[in-house]
């Protein structure tokens, strides 16, 4: 990795920094008389995590539970969320250092175990995975186990229940999927054994005997016996029944049988009754055997849940159904999850009638499944906050455009952009915020569009492309009509960021080869070759990652791609930075000197792709890329603005790119 070299003071008017050997000259504004004596302090504001949007249902299992406190507990990115259903409030367990992958609830329904993936630090060195056991009432960490023991990550967890939760079973993500049993309170590992080279999807103790453990996964279900600190396993025999590709889930019936759900859509009942050697084959005697096969779902059985009276709930993949079964597996009732929410990933029983359902499209649905919240299911880049209201917009590779209410913490609406037949030019569209209708669609260039910004008065729209051009449009008819005004030509690499001057006449832009260029839009999109003339220009926004006023946000050792986005607050007192190492930084603004101090905030489980302040600087929104998570941070300290509720203006519209994850950027009368 090539480092940023020391900043070099060339003259009294400019300084130069180097990224990957490329010199970047920046001119010192006239109001700075002595650059060397400038002090860089921490900002007077700080951030507190206020709300987490999203749920990791796309690739994790058994990760939604209801606590006696009335809180649903689940996770996304590095945060375990405790969402109070009735009060509609959130609390957050934030002690994990990388993405959380699994949860287990102690029999006392208070203590929680959560396991994480390994991850890497900013230098690419692996970080060790571990399990935290913590108190859900106080959020205090009670124990950390497995540091230095688990490989790659923790895939499955379970507390014992017949002995008041003394033991914790853990399966890691190593090649052998090591299974270990811990006296978690004493941090003592009692036994560890290789499980299987195939994927493991679930593990649990027998509710009546701590010495019996079951695990399941690809083409297997194992029955483990713990004796004298050794673990022995017996493989479930499918006999005359078709062996499924995956055993996806299992539960214990009140009669002591084991019910497994598989990728064939069947629920198999396993018991210890005398084996039928004629149908099951020789060698079946003395093993766990299938007593009954119940056809349950079209497609996979993703999850099962035992209700208090012995009834069973199952959730389907392809058919998206939740079915209630009697204790002897007679179907009683069923309902179907709307297709837009995906398949059923997991079910949590609220009171026998009302349910919480987590889905594969990162939604959690309650009760009749008409309420709930939905998240993105692919990498996200586009983020915009409304200029006068407490709403924000997100978009990503899943082609979803979502409008959220930051005050009520709810999704106002979400739509999926249609994919057109392949064309020579890249498409971007304008949507009406009220009707959700496309009011205009246009094309520019033959490569992806990376950034879009309205001028301060909304009369122009700038569209930055990977074809190295910035396309300028006149905006008329209340944001419904767009006509090409000009094209800014001069960058030698793709456009990454751009900002308008406060008077709406000029643009500052960054590109993939670390150029800073300035453009006179009012005079016909002319490149200003004398950049010295722009040193005192005031900018309506500051999202360019390269510029004199934000030079200090670059850390020593950065390679030029380590900062994905930044955003200056409307008060112009602070700047938030999204980096490639899962961190959100908060600096003072301006920040023109190297090694400037900052507050650093964790919570994302992948590169942070975007940050934006709300209209009154009361909150900051940050967006993770592959963790599909949106974090809402409360700004604490001076200049945090006013928290009053606003209402969506009927004339608002929204603009988004269908070809680029950064197609939603900013707005005045519109959100772009």
């Amino acid at each position: 990795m090539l480092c940023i070299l020391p900043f070099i003071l060339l003259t009294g008017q400019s300084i130069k920094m180097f990224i990957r050997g490329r010199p970047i000259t920046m001119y010192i504004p006239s109001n700075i008389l002595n650059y060397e004596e400038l002090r860089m302090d921490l900002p007077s504001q700080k951030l507190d995590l206020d709300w987490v949007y999203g749920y990791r249902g796309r690739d994790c299992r058994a990760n939604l539970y209801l606590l006696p406190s009335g809180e649903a507990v689940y996770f996304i990115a590095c945060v375990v969320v405790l969402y109070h259903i009735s009060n509609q409030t959130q609390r957050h367990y934030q002690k994990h250092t990388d993405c959380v992958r699994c949860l287990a609830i102690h029999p006392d329904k208070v203590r929680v175990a959560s396991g994480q993936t390994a991850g890497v630090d900013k230098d690419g060195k692996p970080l060790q995975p571990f399990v935290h056991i913590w108190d859900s009432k106080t959020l205090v960490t009670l124990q950390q186990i497995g540091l230095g023991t688990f490989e790659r990550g923790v895939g499955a967890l379970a507390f014992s229940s017949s002995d008041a939760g003394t033991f914790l079973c853990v399966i890691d993500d190593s090649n052998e999927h090591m299974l270990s049993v811990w006296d978690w309170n004493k941090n003592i590992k009692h036994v560890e054994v290789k499980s299987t080279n195939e994927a493991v999807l679930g593990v649990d103790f027998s509710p009546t005997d701590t010495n019996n453990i079951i695990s399941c996964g690809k083409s297997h279900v194992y029955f483990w016996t713990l004796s004298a600190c050794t673990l022995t396993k017996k493989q479930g025999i499918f006999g005359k029944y078709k062996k499924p590709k995956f055993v996806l889930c299992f539960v214990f019936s009140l009669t002591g049988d084991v019910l497994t759900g598989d990728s064939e859509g069947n629920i198999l009942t396993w018991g210890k009754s005398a084996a039928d050697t004629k149908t099951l084959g020789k060698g079946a005697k003395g093993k766990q055997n299938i007593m009954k096969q119940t056809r349950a779902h079209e497609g996979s059985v993703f999850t099962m849940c035992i209700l208090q009276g012995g009834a069973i709930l199952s959730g389907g993949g392809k058919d998206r159904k939740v079915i209630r079964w009697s204790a002897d597996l007679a179907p009683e009732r069923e309902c179907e999850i709307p297709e837009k929410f995906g398949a059923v990933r997991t079910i949590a029983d609220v009171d026998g009638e009302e349910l919480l359902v987590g889905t594969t499209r990162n939604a959690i649905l309650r009760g009749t499944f008409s309420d709930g919240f939905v998240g993105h299911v692919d990498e996200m880049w586009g983020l915009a906050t409304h200029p006068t209201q407490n709403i924000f917009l997100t978009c990503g590779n899943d082609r979803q455009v979502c409008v959220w209410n930051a005050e009520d913490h709810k999704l106002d609406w979400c739509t999926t952009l249609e994919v057109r037949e392949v064309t020579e030019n890249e498409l971007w569209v304008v949507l009406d915020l009220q009707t959700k209708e496309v009011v205009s669609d246009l094309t520019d260039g033959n490569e992806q569009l990376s950034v879009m910004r309205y001028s301060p008065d909304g009369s122009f729209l700038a569209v930055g492309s990977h074809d190295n051009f910035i396309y300028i449009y006149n905006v008329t008819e209340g944001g419904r009509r767009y006509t090409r005004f000009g094209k800014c030509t001069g960058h030698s690499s793709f456009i990454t960021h751009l900002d308008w001057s406060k008077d709406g006449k000029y643009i500052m832009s960054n590109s993939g080869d670390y150029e800073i260029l300035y453009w006179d839009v009012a005079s016909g999109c002319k490149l200003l070759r004398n950049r010295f003339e722009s040193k005192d220009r005031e900018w309506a926004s500051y999202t360019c990652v390269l510029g004199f006023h934000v030079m200090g946000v670059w850390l020593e050792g950065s390679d030029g791609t380590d900062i994905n986005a930044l955003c200056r607050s409307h008060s112009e007192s602070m700047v938030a930075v999204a980096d490639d190492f899962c961190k959100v930084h908060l600096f003072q603004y301006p920040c023109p000197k190297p090694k400037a101090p900052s507050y650093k905030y964790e919570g994302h489980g992948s590169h942070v792709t975007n940050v934006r302040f709300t209209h009154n600087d009361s909150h900051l929104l940050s967006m993770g890329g592959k963790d599909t998570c949106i974090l809402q941070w409360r700004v604490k300290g001076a200049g945090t603005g006013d928290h009053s509720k606003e209402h969506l203006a009927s004339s608002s519209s929204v603009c988004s790119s269908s070809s680029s994850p950064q197609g939603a950027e900013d707005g005045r009368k519109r959100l772009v």
Side-chain angles (χ1 to χ4, degrees):
M1 177 180 289
L2 296 175
C3 299
I4 293 182
L5 299 181
F7 296 84
I8 302 171
L9 186 63
L10 296 179
T11 69
Q13 296 180 325
S14 69
I15 58 174
K16 187 176 293 186
M17 65 180 277
F18 291 82
I19 295 183
R20 290 187 176 272
R22 293 183 63 95
I24 304 171
T25 301
M26 284 163 282
Y27 293 95
I28 302 173
S30 302
N31 61 353
I32 296 179
L33 302 179
N34 193 329
Y35 173 80
E36 291 181 342
E37 292 184 1
L38 282 178
R39 285 189 55 189
M40 292 291 97
D41 297 319
L42 287 166
S44 59
Q45 303 89 343
K46 293 184 178 181
L47 303 178
D48 274 345
L49 186 59
D50 177 50
W51 200 264
V52 176
Y53 299 89
Y55 153 78
R56 186 163 179 170
R58 70 187 190 279
D59 61 355
C60 291
R61 303 167 188 278
N63 59 351
L64 174 64
Y65 299 94
L66 186 72
L67 302 178
S69 63
E71 293 171 304
V73 56
Y74 56 93
F75 59 77
I76 187 170
C78 303
V79 184
V80 183
V81 181
L82 295 100
Y83 172 66
H84 198 287
I85 298 171
S86 299
N87 298 342
Q88 297 185 14
T89 57
Q90 279 188 359
R91 297 187 298 137
H92 310 103
Y93 182 76
Q94 297 177 254
K95 301 300 183 181
H96 283 281
T97 59
D98 213 287
C99 285
V100 183
R101 292 297 308 275
C102 51
L103 278 178
I105 307 299
H106 192 273
D108 65 10
K109 305 296 183 183
V110 173
R111 287 172 284 189
V112 178
S114 47
Q116 69 168 70
T117 191
V120 295
D121 64 14
K122 67 177 183 178
D123 298 319
K125 297 179 181 178
L127 295 172
Q128 295 177 333
F130 53 80
V131 174
H132 271 167
I133 295 95
W134 46 280
D135 188 306
S136 64
K137 291 182 178 179
T138 64
L139 301 183
V140 171
T141 303
L142 305 174
Q143 191 65 269
Q144 181 188 67
I145 68 170
L147 198 63
T149 299
F150 309 131
E151 292 186 27
R152 296 180 185 165
V154 180
L157 291 170
F159 281 106
S160 59
S161 55
S162 63
D163 58 1
T166 301
F167 294 99
L168 183 74
C169 184
V170 184
I171 296 182
D172 73 8
D173 284 332
S174 64
N175 288 340
E176 296 84 11
H177 295 96
M178 301 300 294
L179 186 154
S180 54
V181 177
W182 300 72
D183 183 331
W184 64 266
N185 200 38
K186 298 177 181 178
N187 204 351
I188 296 174
K189 180 171 63 177
H190 279 275
V191 62
E192 183 178 51
V193 65
K194 294 180 181 179
S195 170
T196 174
N197 289 328
E198 302 286 5
V200 178
L201 303 178
V203 68
D204 204 356
F205 288 89
S206 164
T208 58
D209 188 351
T210 299
N211 294 321
N212 290 332
I213 299 171
I214 296 179
S215 64
C216 71
K218 185 177 181 181
S219 301
H220 75 270
V221 55
Y222 291 141
F223 299 86
W224 301 85
T225 302
L226 177 61
S227 177
C229 291
T230 60
L231 271 170
T232 56
K233 72 177 178 182
K234 292 182 179 180
Q235 184 165 355
I237 297 176
F238 291 91
K240 68 174 183 178
Y241 301 101
K242 180 180 179 181
K243 188 175 185 179
K245 186 174 182 180
F246 288 94
V247 178
L248 297 162
C249 58
F250 65 89
V251 292
F252 296 90
S253 73
L254 297 188
T255 60
D257 294 330
V258 177
L259 309 178
T260 61
D262 60 43
S263 53
E264 300 298 315
N266 296 318
I267 296 175
L268 301 178
T269 303
W270 301 75
K272 290 184 178 180
S273 60
D276 181 354
T277 56
K278 291 183 179 179
T279 57
L280 293 174
K282 293 182 179 180
K285 191 174 182 180
K287 298 180 182 293
Q288 288 277 354
N289 301 305
I290 300 171
M291 300 168 59
K292 180 181 179 182
Q293 175 178 284
T294 305
R295 182 65 180 168
H297 291 274
E298 181 184 354
S300 298
V301 181
F302 274 158
T303 185
M304 289 189 291
C305 173
I306 292 285
L307 301 181
Q308 190 170 4
I312 300 153
L313 297 174
S314 66
K318 186 176 181 180
D319 62 12
R320 307 187 312 279
K321 289 182 178 180
V322 176
I323 302 177
R324 178 184 171 117
W325 307 82
S326 66
D328 59 355
L329 288 176
E332 295 180 342
R333 284 183 287 172
E334 69 177 50
C335 62
E336 186 175 313
I337 302 299
E339 185 176 3
K340 65 180 180 179
F341 296 120
V344 180
R345 175 62 78 196
T346 190
I347 304 170
D349 175 37
V350 176
D351 59 8
E353 292 295 327
E354 189 174 40
L355 308 172
L356 291 178
V357 178
T359 78
T360 56
R361 290 185 66 82
N362 296 345
I364 295 179
L365 308 176
R366 177 188 174 193
T368 63
F369 315 128
S370 59
D371 300 324
F373 46 94
V374 63
H376 287 276
V377 294
D378 205 342
E379 188 165 356
M380 302 186 297
W381 286 82
L383 173 65
T385 51
H386 195 279
T388 61
Q389 300 168 22
N390 293 318
I391 61 175
F392 64 97
L393 176 146
T394 60
C395 65
N397 290 357
D398 57 9
R399 297 184 290 111
Q400 287 191 116
V401 177
C402 298
V403 178
W404 308 81
N405 188 308
E407 189 80 29
D408 298 332
H409 310 122
K410 291 183 178 179
L411 178 69
D412 281 348
W413 59 266
C414 188
T415 188
T416 302
L417 297 180
E418 296 181 2
V419 178
R420 286 189 173 186
E421 296 296 327
V422 177
T423 61
E424 293 182 0
N425 297 319
E426 294 299 301
L427 173 71
W428 55 274
V429 302
V430 180
L431 302 174
D432 187 283
L433 274 177
Q434 290 290 308
T435 66
K436 312 175 194 175
E437 295 177 350
V438 175
V439 298
S440 184
D441 58 356
L442 302 99
T443 57
D444 277 306
N446 56 7
E447 296 190 39
Q448 76 174 57
L449 308 177
S450 51
V451 57
M452 307 179 77
R453 280 203 159 306
Y454 282 104
S455 61
D457 64 359
S459 61
F460 287 102
L461 175 68
V463 180
S465 171
H466 272 228
D467 65 6
N468 306 351
F469 302 133
I470 301 172
Y471 300 91
I472 307 296
Y473 283 84
N474 268 320
V475 182
T476 56
E477 298 180 14
R480 292 177 172 268
R481 181 175 174 81
Y482 294 77
T483 53
R484 175 76 70 83
F485 174 79
K487 182 170 69 172
C488 299
T489 305
H491 271 296
S492 54
S493 185
F494 57 91
I495 313 302
T496 59
H497 306 83
L498 63 85
D499 292 289
W500 288 86
S501 60
K502 288 185 177 180
D503 60 13
K505 297 180 180 179
Y506 302 93
I507 284 177
M508 169 175 57
S509 58
N510 293 168
S511 60
D513 58 354
Y514 320 120
E515 277 187 322
I516 308 171
L517 296 184
Y518 300 91
W519 312 88
D520 184 342
V521 175
S523 299
C525 304
K526 294 180 180 178
L527 174 63
L528 297 176
R529 299 192 178 277
N530 186 355
R531 288 179 288 161
F532 176 80
E533 296 177 355
S534 297
K535 65 186 177 70
D536 293 328
R537 192 157 284 125
E538 295 186 340
W539 302 101
S541 62
Y542 214 118
T543 62
C544 285
V545 297
L546 295 172
F548 174 83
H549 295 82
V550 296
M551 191 167 50
V553 306
W554 288 90
L555 303 178
E556 186 176 355
S558 299
D559 71 350
T561 63
D562 293 338
I563 292 178
N564 296 312
L566 64 77
C567 181
R568 183 189 69 190
S569 63
H570 299 88
S571 65
E572 302 188 14
S573 64
M574 53 186 164
V575 60
V577 172
D579 76 14
D580 242 9
F581 311 109
C582 313
K583 303 291 192 301
V584 174
H585 301 255
L586 194 67
F587 292 86
Q588 74 166 31
Y589 180 88
C591 185
K593 295 192 75 172
K595 298 184 179 179
S598 70
Y599 294 114
K600 302 174 186 177
Y601 299 95
E602 299 179 342
H604 285 290
S606 74
H607 54 295
V608 186
T609 55
N610 220 326
V611 283
R612 288 291 182 270
F613 287 96
T614 55
H615 69 99
N616 57 11
D617 292 340
S618 63
H619 292 83
L620 175 77
L621 283 308
S622 64
M623 173 181 284
K626 292 183 178 179
D627 69 18
T628 68
C629 179
I630 306 160
L631 300 182
Q632 180 171 310
W633 307 86
R634 182 183 295 107
V635 180
K636 297 176 63 178
T640 56
D642 131 57
H643 291 251
S644 60
K645 281 193 176 183
E646 307 280 354
H647 296 286
L648 198 61
S650 60
S651 61
S652 295
S653 60
V654 55
C655 177
S656 172
S657 163
S658 66
S659 60
S660 166
Q662 280 188 320
E665 278 296 312
D666 187 26
R668 290 294 159 182
K669 295 178 181 177
R670 296 151 299 280
L671 285 175
V672 177

